[in-house]
Amino acid sequence: MKRILKEKADFVTFCIEEYAAAKGKTGEEAFDYFKQHGVIEYLIDCYDPLHTQGSKWLVEEVDEYISHAKLRGEE
């Protein structure tokens, strides 16, 4: 159980850093943005299919997730 929690935490950290680099943000700015839009929970809940994807795809997926969250009024 501890191993999967560490893997998920590492994955979320990876996504934050990749998103920050792609968007010209600091890691802290990306983390705050993820928290604001519920991205961290999404990444954890959907870890199994998401962690197999590349960083470019993940950045695009996060942007799409946030767009849909805004449309649903979940921001």
Side-chain angles (χ1 to χ4, degrees):
M1 182 66 149
K2 284 185 179 182
R3 186 187 59 119
I4 192 68
L5 293 176
K6 181 178 179 342
E7 288 175 9
K8 287 181 179 183
D10 289 346
F11 175 66
V12 169
T13 302
F14 170 79
C15 290
I16 290 168
E17 292 301 322
E18 290 298 314
Y19 195 85
K23 301 296 181 175
K25 298 179 179 290
T26 66
E28 185 175 351
E29 290 169 332
F31 174 75
D32 290 342
Y33 191 67
F34 277 30
K35 279 182 56 176
Q36 178 184 1
H37 295 288
V39 176
I40 294 170
E41 292 81 5
Y42 170 66
L43 294 172
I44 291 169
D45 291 346
C46 299
Y47 170 78
D48 287 335
L50 294 178
H51 86 281
T52 63
Q53 304 301 316
S55 59
K56 183 178 181 220
W57 186 91
L58 287 166
V59 169
E60 292 170 1
E61 179 67 12
V62 167
D63 283 338
E64 187 173 328
Y65 176 80
I66 292 170
S67 290
H68 286 117
K70 286 179 179 179
L71 290 174
R72 293 186 306 265
E74 297 175 2
E75 54 178 338

